[in-house]
């Protein structure tokens, strides 16, 4: 994500959004299968892909809001503030949920 921030600082928003979204997707698609297989090898509790409802709701809300914000191709400080607020709410809900 550092590269995405550097692109954003150089006013290349298309590249910044692409780098940030694709890096998150690559980590998720590459890390989850590896962790799933390692949980069987290491032993103990086996990792399953059954997610709690709060996590599913948080992922869905994040995906929907991210799509809505990226859809118009522009970004404003208010949209960034909304995203930071959403992530703060999600963190608080997991902390006390």
């Amino acid at each position: 994500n550092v590269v995405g921030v550097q692109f954003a600082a150089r006013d290349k928003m298309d590249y910044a959004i692409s780098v940030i979204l694709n890096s998150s997707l690559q980590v998720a698609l590459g890390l989850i299968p590896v962790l799933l297989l390692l949980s069987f090898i290491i032993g103990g509790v086996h990792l399953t892909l059954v997610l709690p409802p709060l996590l599913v709701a948080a992922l869905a809300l994040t995906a929907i809001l991210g799509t809505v914000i990226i859809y118009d191709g522009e970004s404003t400080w208010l949209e960034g503030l909304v995203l930071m607020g959403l992530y703060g709410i999600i963190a608080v809900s997991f902390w006390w949920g």
Side-chain angles (χ1 to χ4, degrees):
N1 288 338
V2 172
V3 175
V5 172
Q6 289 174 346
F7 278 135
R10 293 182 193 143
D11 202 25
K12 296 179 180 179
M13 287 305 195
D14 292 336
Y15 294 126
I17 290 172
S18 175
V19 166
I20 290 170
L21 291 179
N22 287 333
S23 67
S24 309
L25 184 63
Q26 288 173 356
V27 167
L29 291 177
L31 191 60
I32 289 176
V34 170
L35 291 176
L36 184 74
L37 294 174
L38 279 176
S39 72
F40 288 111
I41 295 171
I42 293 174
V45 178
H46 296 292
L47 178 66
T48 64
L49 295 178
V50 178
L51 302 174
L54 181 62
L55 182 59
V56 172
L59 290 173
L61 186 61
T62 303
I64 290 169
L65 189 61
T67 302
V68 168
I69 287 177
I70 293 172
Y71 183 72
D72 62 355
E74 297 177 354
S75 62
T76 63
W77 66 270
L78 185 59
E79 290 174 342
L81 189 64
V82 168
L83 283 174
M84 290 187 341
L86 172 67
Y87 295 144
I89 291 169
I90 290 171
V92 167
S93 66
F94 276 102
W95 183 265
W96 281 292

